[in-house]
């Protein structure tokens, strides 16, 4: 079994289609099919089920992918380091939007001061997209908020955080204490996009009470959501850090509903089989020791 086989398999797994995998890899479709067949014969297992011209990974296929991604990532990293000997090391870091707005610039600036020979490349996306990128080997590690769904990812908290429920200043629920989820659910919401941590927590809270959040507006921007709340579009669940200034300036009000689910941790995230280089370890140790 060769790295070529693994690379072809990983692309077929991502695309769920041999023809598209062949196009991405600049190979012929028969060459891709043969590589997958050789792997299945070698291991004596079926890696994909073929149903209605669509591929579905089997349990063995999913297990193989979990091993293939870090192996390919480590090989590519070795190739880059050897071919650019003496050049800058590169860290591919993912960040959720909240952390990217509040903390990542400071992290990168401090790490550049400590390790000027390392180049940090940051991708800021929502938490669900970051998880997908980590599993696919597109990132070395990431900093996100919320909960981690994929069991192949290692997660550890590095900083506590809270969400708060916000409303326009003239909203009828402002000033009331001990609100219920049912009362809040009667009003429209303005939220971050599906896949974001706040969106997932709101849905979870509503589902537990048998309610549905009526989301009338969503955005990839926390600040756009906050401005929409201030303009009276709806309620929202946003990080306390983001809301502090608007609350102090009395642009929005904080509603009297505080639930355990609104407490969360900022997380360090990387693949369980990821080889951590000295540069990665140094960055993560800096994050673990960070003081606000």
């Amino acid at each position: 079994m060769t790295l070529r086989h693994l690379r072809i398999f990983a692309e077929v797994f991502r695309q769920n289609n041999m023809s598209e995998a062949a196009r991405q890899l600049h190979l012929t479709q028969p060459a891709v099919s043969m590589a997958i067949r050789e792997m299945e014969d070698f291991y004596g297992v079926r890696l994909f089920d073929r149903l209605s011209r669509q591929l579905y990974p089997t349990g063995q296929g999913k297990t193989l992918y979990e091993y293939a991604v870090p192996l390919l990532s480590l090989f590519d990293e070795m190739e880059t380091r050897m071919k650019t000997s003496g050049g800058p090391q590169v860290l591919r870091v993912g960040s959720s939007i909240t952390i990217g707005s509040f903390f990542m610039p400071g992290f990168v600036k401090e790490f550049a001061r400590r390790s000027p020979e390392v180049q940090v490349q940051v991708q800021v996306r929502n938490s669900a997209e970051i998880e997908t990128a980590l599993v696919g080997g597109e990132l070395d590690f990431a900093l996100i908020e919320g909960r981690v769904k994929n069991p192949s990812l290692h997660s550890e908290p590095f900083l506590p955080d809270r969400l708060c429920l916000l409303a326009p200043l003239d909203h009828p629920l402002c000033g009331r204490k001990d609100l219920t989820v049912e009362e809040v659910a009667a009003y429209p919401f303005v939220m971050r996009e599906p896949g974001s941590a706040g969106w997932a927590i709101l849905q979870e809270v509503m589902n537990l009470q048998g309610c549905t959040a009526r989301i009338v507006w969503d955005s990839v921007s926390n600040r756009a959501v906050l401005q929409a709340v201030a303009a009276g579009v709806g309620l929202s669940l946003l990080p306390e850090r983001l809301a502090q200034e608007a609350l102090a300036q009395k642009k929005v009000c904080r509603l009297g509903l505080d639930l355990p689910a609104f407490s969360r941790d900022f997380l360090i995230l990387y693949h369980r089989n990821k080889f951590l280089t000295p540069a990665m370890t140094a960055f993560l140790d800096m994050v673990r020791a960070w003081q606000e």
Side-chain angles (χ1 to χ4, degrees):
M1 197 50 49
T2 66
L3 284 169
R4 175 179 179 274
H5 284 92
L6 284 180
R7 201 174 295 282
I8 291 173
F9 163 76
E11 193 61 36
V12 172
F13 188 100
R14 285 191 284 265
Q15 302 296 337
N16 283 331
N17 183 285
M18 290 197 186
S19 297
E20 181 59 24
R23 191 182 73 81
Q24 294 290 335
L25 295 168
H26 306 290
L27 297 172
T28 64
Q29 195 272 336
V32 170
S33 298
M34 180 176 293
I36 298 300
R37 187 163 56 250
E38 289 173 346
M39 294 184 75
E40 292 181 326
D41 290 343
F42 181 82
Y43 289 115
V45 299
R46 181 177 290 277
L47 299 174
F48 298 96
D49 287 323
R50 287 86 168 166
L51 301 172
S52 301
R53 298 185 179 181
Q54 185 73 27
L55 297 181
Y56 298 90
T58 63
Q60 293 93 334
K62 293 175 182 176
T63 298
L64 180 61
Y65 185 73
E66 289 183 8
Y67 284 100
V69 167
L71 285 172
L72 292 169
S73 177
L74 184 59
F75 178 79
D76 291 340
E77 185 178 304
M78 179 194 72
E79 289 276 280
T80 300
R81 290 288 300 278
M82 296 303 295
K83 290 178 180 178
T84 59
S85 181
Q89 300 179 51
V90 176
L91 290 187
R92 303 169 303 161
V93 183
S95 173
S96 60
I97 294 174
T98 298
I99 294 176
S101 300
F102 284 92
F103 296 100
M104 190 57 74
F107 289 155
V108 173
K109 180 179 179 180
E110 175 61 18
F111 189 72
R113 184 187 69 79
R114 299 184 186 189
S115 304
E117 75 283 2
V118 181
Q119 181 183 99
V120 180
Q121 298 176 351
V122 179
Q123 296 185 32
V124 179
R125 309 179 190 174
N126 70 41
S127 297
E129 292 173 331
I130 290 293
E131 281 197 41
T132 299
L134 284 168
V135 173
E138 299 172 37
L139 298 169
D140 295 318
F141 60 88
L143 307 176
I144 72 164
E145 68 270 5
R147 298 173 178 85
V148 179
K149 298 179 180 178
N150 196 303
S152 66
L153 297 177
H154 164 84
S155 67
E156 62 179 274
F158 70 91
L159 200 64
D161 186 48
R162 285 196 65 78
L163 297 170
C164 58
L165 196 60
L166 302 173
L169 278 180
D170 59 354
H171 197 278
L173 297 183
C174 282
R176 287 190 51 197
K177 299 185 182 297
D178 301 324
L179 290 172
T180 66
V181 173
E182 290 82 0
E183 287 177 299
V184 169
Y187 295 91
F189 275 82
V190 182
M191 291 298 297
R192 283 276 311 282
E193 79 287 2
S196 64
W199 188 92
I201 290 173
L202 178 67
Q203 297 294 343
E204 177 183 301
V205 166
M206 291 290 176
N207 290 338
L208 285 174
Q209 298 299 320
C211 301
T212 300
R214 183 160 53 95
I215 300 175
V216 298
W217 185 338
D218 67 70
S219 171
V220 297
S221 167
N222 281 328
R223 297 195 181 279
V225 171
L226 185 59
Q227 289 171 356
V229 173
V233 178
L235 311 181
S236 191
L237 189 64
L238 287 172
E240 278 187 340
R241 288 177 176 85
L242 175 69
Q244 283 174 353
E245 183 178 351
L247 287 168
Q249 295 175 353
K250 299 190 182 304
K251 294 181 178 179
V252 297
C253 76
R254 181 172 185 165
L255 296 184
L257 180 63
D258 195 8
L259 302 174
F262 293 173
S263 295
R264 61 181 184 176
D265 289 311
F266 291 150
L267 303 174
I268 292 170
L269 206 60
Y270 54 85
H271 198 286
R272 291 188 181 278
N273 297 324
K274 180 70 177 179
F275 173 75
L276 299 181
T277 65
M280 294 177 202
T281 300
F283 193 103
L284 293 178
D285 285 345
M286 179 195 71
V287 170
R288 293 181 182 110
W290 191 266
Q291 298 293 324
E292 288 190 84

